[in-house]
Amino acid sequence: DGGITQSPKYLFRKEGQNVTLSCEQNLNHDAMYWYRQDPGQGLRLIYYSQIVNDFQKGDIAEGYSVSREKKESFPLTVTSAQKNPTAFYLCASSIAAGTGHYGYTFGSGTRLTVV
Amino acid sequence: AQRVTQPEKLLSVFKGAPVELKCNYSYSGSPELFWYVQYSRQRLQLLLRHISRESIKGFTADLNKGETSFHLKKPFAQEEDSAMYYCALNGGSQGNLIFGKGTKLSVKP
């Protein structure tokens, strides 16, 4: 059964703590993306990766970091430098960068709350 | 600058009424546009894309380059259409989608 799996579904972070959100896909997609979804703000791009071992900053990359060591995996770390991390985080993938006309496949999301 | 604008945060209609969710874009090249839908407690999913000129669940959307619009339309709304709808633009060679802020459609019985 192909798709994107995000884990955990809910995550609680203490002030000053780094946390990592997992995103795994078995669709053999080259490109992967992280978006942040806030009420009334739509989806804002955090980071994206077009190929293994390469990634680029999106519009709101400050306070976040990523890695792309494997084609299937694109974890997102929310660092203590992110001032307002409470949000819903969405991971997506597409066949390849530049072929956006196929659209994205999205994961089910991780809701991060700072406590 | 590349931008997608969805002017309505909330659209409320009665079952059986026509519905139109507005989307305007700003893009210098030849745009690729999409509509995504997020039903309650479900993941965001592709509804339709302008390049395929398809009709999904009774919804259609026509690209109007003169008005830079890609409005989503359905002649007779159903209660199960209630969801959050996002318009998105392919931002170019990087393949990143630029999303609007979304419109919440509420179809009342």
Side-chain angles (χ1 to χ4, degrees):
Chain A
D1 187 22
I4 295 186
T5 302
Q6 288 187 243
S7 62
K9 194 171 182 178
Y10 299 96
L11 187 57
F12 297 90
R13 192 194 92 169
K14 294 181 180 179
E15 294 282 351
Q17 220 177 25
N18 292 356
V19 291
T20 297
L21 284 61
S22 170
C23 178
E24 304 275 334
Q25 54 99 358
N26 60 5
L27 300 166
N28 200 33
H29 284 174
D30 288 307
M32 297 186 74
Y33 312 83
W34 275 106
Y35 283 87
R36 171 176 169 146
Q37 188 179 29
D38 295 284
Q41 298 269 6
L43 278 71
R44 293 181 290 168
L45 183 65
I46 304 173
Y47 268 98
Y48 63 99
S49 169
Q50 300 173 10
I51 197 168
V52 174
N53 292 323
D54 187 46
F55 49 83
Q56 286 79 40
K57 292 182 179 180
D59 300 319
I60 55 166
E62 185 176 350
Y64 300 97
S65 65
V66 293
S67 63
R68 187 84 187 279
E69 297 176 2
K70 298 186 299 181
K71 187 176 185 177
E72 302 79 18
S73 179
F74 191 41
L76 174 73
T77 296
V78 184
T79 75
S80 57
Q82 170 50 235
K83 299 304 179 190
N84 186 24
T86 294
F88 191 59
Y89 291 87
L90 284 170
C91 180
S93 69
S94 65
I95 292 174
T99 58
H101 59 275
Y102 289 106
Y104 287 0
T105 300
F106 280 91
S108 56
T110 293
R111 186 166 298 281
L112 173 63
T113 304
V114 173
V115 295
Chain B
Q2 298 163 5
R3 186 169 58 245
V4 175
T5 303
Q6 293 180 251
E8 303 138 329
K9 283 188 179 179
L10 174 65
L11 184 62
S12 186
V13 301
F14 285 103
K15 178 183 174 181
V19 62
E20 180 180 69
L21 290 88
K22 291 184 168 52
C23 173
N24 289 91
Y25 67 91
S26 174
Y27 186 64
S28 57
S30 184
E32 288 182 279
L33 288 148
F34 306 81
W35 276 99
Y36 282 80
V37 60
Q38 191 170 31
Y39 300 103
S40 179
R41 290 186 289 278
Q42 293 188 28
R43 63 181 68 193
L44 198 60
Q45 57 187 285
L46 178 66
L47 180 61
L48 55 81
R49 48 198 174 191
H50 94 271
I51 198 169
S52 55
R53 301 185 63 80
E54 57 205 341
S55 173
I56 303 293
K57 299 185 179 182
F59 284 98
T60 59
D62 291 318
L63 177 61
N64 186 323
K65 290 187 179 180
E67 296 183 358
T68 60
S69 68
F70 188 57
H71 303 328
L72 184 67
K73 300 177 184 178
K74 185 170 183 177
F76 308 103
Q78 303 299 316
E79 289 179 69
E80 55 265 30
D81 296 327
S82 295
M84 195 75 183
Y85 291 81
Y86 292 96
C87 183
L89 167 71
N90 185 0
S93 61
Q94 301 296 317
N96 302 330
L97 290 182
I98 299 165
F99 287 84
K101 293 188 176 183
T103 298
K104 184 175 182 179
L105 175 64
S106 175
V107 181
K108 299 179 179 179

